[in-house]
Amino acid sequence: MNQDVEKLWELQTVLSQLGDREKQLTDKPESFAAVDREWQDVNAAMERLQAQIEQLSRERRRVDGELTDQQELLKKYQGQLMQVKNQQQYAAAWKEIDATRKHVKELEDSTLKTMTEIDALQKQNDDLAAGSADLKSRWDAEHAAWQHSLVDLRGEVETLKARAVTIESTVPERLRREFHRIFKQRQNVAIAHVVADSCNGCRTRVRPAVLQQLKRGDLVHCEGCSRILYLETPPS
Ligand SMILES: [Zn+2]
């Protein structure tokens, strides 16, 4: 058995674990991502409701202002009614009063309708907020678990990096470079197992003569994919 190939096999295992851990560090775990999506959805719905409430409140303030103006106007016309000199003026003043009263009534109805709408939206918002308390505590728990797992992961990454450095220091420079070149070119697999007399990386058959070389402990490349072949020592 070739000792260097055995070390490189271990190095490849360590690098593959390192790759997994580093990917995990950048990915949200699905358990957190799921609750996070729910949480974002509820917040977006609440924001939409608040925007609608804000818009209706502005409309209500505008109508309230107009209502005040119209009520002032109504008082003025009612005052004028006391000062009319003849039937014609009396009729004209009443006409103004009637029209203004009608307008006031419309504005009051409109305000009432807006208030009812605002109340309904506010209730929806409050229900969402109340219902989201449980969601928020799940979000907090998943987020905390994720952050905690990152601490462990970072620890594992450091350990694996140190392990890779240690292994590499025991492998000859030329071989180490060759390993990394193939590792980069061949989807992070530089060392391929021989399984059923074939390269496990590309399924190319390993010729009996090459198999003999391997068994002797020579460093041999696959004729199909150029990966370094690794023959596991049968347990003795
Ligand atoms: Zn191969």
Side-chain angles (χ1 to χ4, degrees):
M1 190 63 230
N2 189 303
Q3 293 294 310
D4 286 338
V5 174
E6 202 141 4
K7 285 176 198 161
L8 290 176
W9 174 258
E10 198 192 342
L11 176 62
Q12 178 168 288
T13 308
V14 168
L15 291 180
S16 147
Q17 289 169 347
L18 189 57
D20 285 350
R21 302 296 184 280
E22 281 177 334
K23 191 176 178 307
Q24 282 173 31
L25 274 179
T26 59
D27 285 353
K28 277 184 198 172
E30 190 41 46
S31 55
F32 172 69
V35 74
D36 189 45
R37 273 194 298 276
E38 255 186 274
W39 179 238
Q40 307 292 348
D41 286 351
V42 167
N43 278 309
M46 279 165 64
E47 271 171 34
R48 278 195 300 276
L49 285 170
Q50 267 146 23
Q52 284 174 280
I53 290 170
E54 184 47 46
Q55 195 194 346
L56 286 172
S57 300
R58 275 199 301 275
E59 170 65 9
R60 200 197 141 187
R61 285 194 292 275
R62 188 189 66 74
V63 172
D64 278 353
E66 205 184 330
L67 188 57
T68 306
D69 292 348
Q70 291 296 315
Q71 280 162 340
E72 288 298 317
L73 206 57
L74 189 59
K75 269 187 216 155
K76 196 186 104 188
Y77 292 144
Q78 281 164 341
Q80 284 172 357
L81 197 61
M82 306 298 149
Q83 293 152 21
V84 291
K85 306 272 190 293
N86 56 44
Q87 191 61 34
Q88 200 182 2
Q89 284 178 351
Y90 185 80
W94 260 117
K95 205 178 160 194
E96 295 285 12
I97 288 170
D98 259 355
T100 311
R101 272 188 183 150
K102 201 185 259 176
H103 196 185
V104 165
K105 177 75 170 67
E106 279 167 11
L107 292 170
E108 281 171 350
D109 288 350
S110 165
T111 290
L112 198 63
K113 185 168 164 280
T114 307
M115 280 166 69
T116 310
E117 280 173 18
I118 290 175
D119 284 351
L121 291 171
Q122 189 61 51
K123 186 174 182 310
Q124 279 184 44
N125 185 76
D126 294 349
D127 287 351
L128 270 181
S132 72
D134 168 60
L135 178 59
K136 178 70 169 81
S137 61
R138 276 195 293 137
W139 190 95
D140 286 342
E142 287 295 348
H143 188 257
W146 175 33
Q147 293 304 308
H148 187 264
S149 75
L150 289 187
V151 175
D152 293 347
L153 265 180
R154 286 190 192 107
E156 282 180 56
V157 164
E158 288 318 307
T159 307
L160 288 167
K161 275 183 182 166
R163 180 90 195 104
V165 169
T166 307
I167 299 170
E168 289 200 28
S169 70
T170 66
V171 177
E173 165 87 21
R174 185 193 56 77
L175 193 55
R176 202 166 72 219
R177 284 216 205 118
E178 195 177 333
F179 170 87
H180 282 293
R181 183 176 52 76
I182 306 173
F183 191 77
K184 236 181 251 170
Q185 286 170 352
R186 298 281 174 191
Q187 296 82 42
N188 295 354
V189 181
I191 315 287
H193 248 154
V194 176
V195 176
D197 293 349
S198 297
C199 165
N200 203 31
C202 71
R203 308 284 166 200
T204 297
R205 188 140 189 89
V206 181
R207 289 185 291 114
V210 176
L211 218 49
Q212 282 310 311
Q213 285 178 291
L214 267 174
K215 282 177 181 160
R216 272 207 309 271
D218 291 353
L219 191 134
V220 182
H221 290 265
C222 169
E223 290 169 318
C225 67
S226 301
R227 291 186 175 100
I228 299 166
L229 290 174
Y230 176 54
L231 189 66
E232 242 179 336
T233 328
S236 47

